[in-house]
Amino acid sequence: MRSAYSRQFALVAGLILSSFLLLGASFATLSYRYTMDAQMNTLEDTAEFIGEFTANYRAQGMDIRSEGFRAYIFSLAKISKAHVLLCETSGEIVYSADGQGKGTLNDLVGQRLPAVVTQRVLGEGEYHRHGNLGGVYSESRYIAGVPIVIHTSGKDNTIGMAFVSTASDDLTQLWRQLSGIFVVAAVAVGMVAFVFTSVTTKRQTRPLKEMAETVREFGHGDFDKRMSPTQTGRPDEMGELARAFNAMADSLAKAEAQRSEFIANVSHELKTPMTTISGFADGILDGTVPPEREAAALETISSETKRLARLVRRMLDLSRLQSGEGITAQEQFDAVELTARALVSLEGKISAKGLDVVVDLPEEPVLVWGEPDAITQVCYNLLDNAIKFAHEGGHLWVSIRREGAKALVTVKDEGATIPPEELDSIFDRFHKSDKSRSMDRDGVGLGLYIVKTILNEHRENITVESAEGLTTFTFSLTLA
């Protein structure tokens, strides 16, 4: 399996190579064309200058066979490093010079240019080609030619032709030198690019390797492993990913701790009633419990069995809520009617404790959005919790009020004050104010957790305040 580093490096390296190849091909084409065009322009300018100089020389009645004229033309050929040919209008070569240091080319003097070359120069006024000038040269050359014209009495009189040429190898050599410079520069830049790509690719893939190692540690049960500060401190997307990964790791560690705590709590909750049931049942069977106390023992067994049933039922409710099955599609309902029904269903418990209930519910319906059965469970759990911890003969307050786009439902009881340090954990699973779990034998510590879970599913909030013997729970519902 190829690593992310190798794939990333191969991708970037391929892009760099492709870019250099495309750039090199473009440079080669454009530089060659530019070099050829520049050389042809130089040859044409030189040919025009020689033609004008020859025309002026002849116009003054001077002989082009003179040493001074030939020395000057040879100097021009020497400077331009080119061959110079002077021809009659008939195409006969009368003078030639080699600017590459060979002096005159006497073997060309007396030869005649092909008629097609002569006609093109005299007819079109110019000639620029890459060839051998109709067989005059033994190799292909870049050639520019112009007519030699004397202006006399307002008339143009063509007296001959001037040709300037240079070897193809000279231009090719120049182009190769330019290409060589480009290749050297491209190789240097390419090497720097490859080194930079290797470094940056390793830097990009290092967090991924570290994450993979951390995940493997998670698989072995070690949830304390985190991404290093070097990665989380990066200001780019990788740093953001590393920070998100650490946040996920914190959540996993918290979830694992909660899972362990949940198992411990469930074990404790199940162990206590089961031990009691087993002890009294064995006592009745082996005669340890006297006959006159068997009824009381059976009542204890029945109470603990009901407690187990409540625990199992609450855990099933909790499991259903956490799996998303407890909240169906939301609908409109009357919060006043729902709260009143929950209050009526607990009338027996209220009467048993002699509580004075103060109800402040609007006369008109308060329509809200939610899942009625789930919100009914919220109201029931809060009222049941308030009744359970209210003092005998105390007060119980229930109210609903509108506030902006929300309806606020409040349940308040008169009883023991919840310590401030426990307010943050009161909605945790299996939380009980009595650490010995002996005062509240009817509760299992899941009621308020279920309330919080349901309201979270509805994206609603719940708050709790407890001071001077008054404990107040307030949760919100969205008005319809």
Side-chain angles (χ1 to χ4, degrees):
M1 181 182 66
R2 296 179 61 187
S3 64
Y5 167 78
S6 62
R7 290 196 301 270
Q8 182 72 10
F9 181 80
L11 175 62
V12 177
L15 289 175
I16 293 175
L17 287 176
S18 300
S19 300
F20 273 112
L21 288 175
L22 180 61
L23 182 62
S26 301
F27 174 81
T29 302
L30 294 177
S31 62
Y32 183 81
R33 183 175 298 175
Y34 173 80
T35 304
M36 298 304 106
D37 291 344
Q39 186 63 29
M40 288 302 300
N41 290 334
T42 301
L43 292 177
E44 290 174 2
D45 293 341
T46 303
E48 289 177 358
F49 181 81
I50 292 175
E52 291 177 359
F53 176 78
T54 303
N56 293 333
Y57 200 86
R58 287 289 300 273
Q60 296 175 8
M62 299 180 180
D63 188 0
I64 63 173
R65 295 180 177 85
S66 65
E67 290 297 327
F69 175 81
R70 295 193 174 195
Y72 185 77
I73 296 299
F74 177 75
S75 297
L76 291 177
K78 190 77 172 177
I79 293 173
S80 60
K81 295 182 179 181
H83 290 179
V84 178
L85 298 178
L86 297 179
C87 306
E88 299 287 352
T89 55
S90 62
E92 181 181 354
I93 300 173
V94 297
Y95 176 77
S96 66
D98 183 3
Q100 294 180 332
K102 298 180 181 179
T104 59
L105 297 175
N106 295 324
D107 57 330
L108 297 181
V109 176
Q111 294 189 26
R112 188 178 298 275
L113 300 179
V116 63
V117 176
T118 304
Q119 292 172 1
R120 184 177 295 274
V121 175
L122 299 178
E124 299 180 3
E126 63 178 2
Y127 180 89
H128 45 82
R129 289 288 186 277
H130 176 251
N132 59 5
L133 200 60
V136 173
Y137 294 110
S138 60
E139 77 281 355
S140 292
R141 303 175 67 86
Y142 291 97
I143 305 169
V146 295
I148 302 174
V149 181
I150 298 177
H151 304 282
T152 56
S153 302
K155 295 183 180 180
D156 294 335
N157 183 23
T158 303
I159 63 172
M161 297 171 289
F163 292 89
V164 179
S165 66
T166 185
S168 301
D169 293 342
D170 296 339
L171 292 179
T172 302
Q173 185 66 22
L174 176 61
W175 175 75
R176 286 176 178 173
Q177 291 175 354
L178 292 175
S179 299
I181 295 174
F182 173 81
V183 170
V184 172
V187 170
V189 173
M191 292 178 64
V192 173
F194 285 136
V195 172
F196 180 76
T197 299
S198 178
V199 172
T200 54
T201 302
K202 284 184 177 179
R203 187 169 184 268
Q204 289 176 350
T205 56
R206 189 177 296 114
L208 300 178
K209 291 183 178 179
E210 190 172 331
M211 287 180 191
E213 180 62 28
T214 304
V215 170
R216 281 192 288 269
E217 294 294 331
F218 288 172
H220 294 151
D222 181 9
F223 291 94
D224 295 329
K225 185 75 172 179
R226 295 294 183 273
M227 296 291 292
S228 64
T230 303
Q231 304 303 334
T232 57
R234 292 173 55 162
D236 55 7
E237 289 82 357
M238 282 296 180
E240 183 179 355
L241 178 61
R243 291 187 291 273
F245 185 88
N246 277 357
M248 179 197 69
D250 292 338
S251 298
L252 288 175
K254 183 178 180 181
E256 177 63 16
Q258 289 177 343
R259 184 186 69 85
S260 299
E261 181 184 1
F262 179 79
I263 293 174
N265 289 333
V266 170
S267 299
H268 182 89
E269 292 292 340
L270 292 175
K271 180 180 179 180
T272 301
M274 290 177 67
T275 301
T276 302
I277 293 172
S278 176
F280 278 101
D282 290 342
I284 294 173
L285 291 175
D286 60 20
T288 304
V289 177
E292 62 273 11
R293 294 186 57 190
E294 287 184 0
L298 290 175
E299 288 180 1
T300 303
I301 291 175
S302 176
S303 175
E304 294 299 320
T305 302
K306 292 176 181 178
R307 184 183 174 193
L308 277 176
R310 286 194 300 273
L311 175 61
V312 172
R313 185 170 61 252
R314 287 295 179 89
M315 292 180 63
L316 289 175
D317 292 340
L318 179 60
S319 176
R320 185 171 63 254
L321 287 172
Q322 291 179 333
S323 65
E325 298 177 1
I327 305 299
T328 58
Q330 297 189 18
E331 59 185 77
Q332 295 184 26
F333 63 89
D334 183 6
V336 175
E337 180 183 356
L338 184 145
T339 304
R341 286 204 309 266
L343 191 60
V344 170
S345 67
L346 292 167
E347 184 177 358
K349 291 186 177 182
I350 294 173
S351 300
K353 294 197 74 168
L355 299 179
D356 184 10
V357 180
V358 180
V359 178
D360 183 14
L361 301 179
E363 294 183 0
E364 69 279 2
V366 178
L367 297 180
V368 294
W369 285 103
E371 205 286 310
D373 291 340
I375 301 301
T376 298
Q377 188 172 7
V378 169
C379 292
Y380 184 91
N381 287 3
L382 290 177
L383 289 170
D384 184 61
N385 190 73
I387 294 168
K388 185 186 305 178
F389 292 102
H391 292 321
E392 293 282 348
H395 288 79
L396 177 66
W397 291 268
V398 180
S399 66
I400 296 178
R401 71 179 188 276
R402 290 184 174 89
E403 188 173 296
K406 298 289 185 178
L408 300 182
V409 182
T410 300
V411 177
K412 181 166 62 174
D413 68 87
E414 186 178 22
T417 301
I418 302 175
E421 63 272 12
E422 293 191 16
L423 288 177
D424 292 336
S425 58
I426 195 171
F427 294 103
D428 292 347
R429 286 178 296 191
F430 296 105
H431 175 80
K432 289 184 179 183
S433 297
D434 177 23
K435 299 301 180 182
S436 66
R437 302 174 183 264
S438 60
M439 291 179 59
D440 176 25
R441 296 189 61 83
D442 291 335
V444 293
L446 289 175
L448 292 180
Y449 179 76
I450 291 175
V451 167
K452 183 69 172 178
T453 302
I454 291 175
L455 291 176
N456 285 343
E457 290 291 333
H458 283 77
R459 296 186 179 180
E460 301 291 353
N461 295 321
I462 184 169
T463 60
V464 57
E465 298 176 356
S466 187
E468 299 179 358
L470 296 177
T471 301
T472 306
F473 288 89
T474 302
F475 68 91
S476 63
L477 293 172
T478 302
L479 290 172

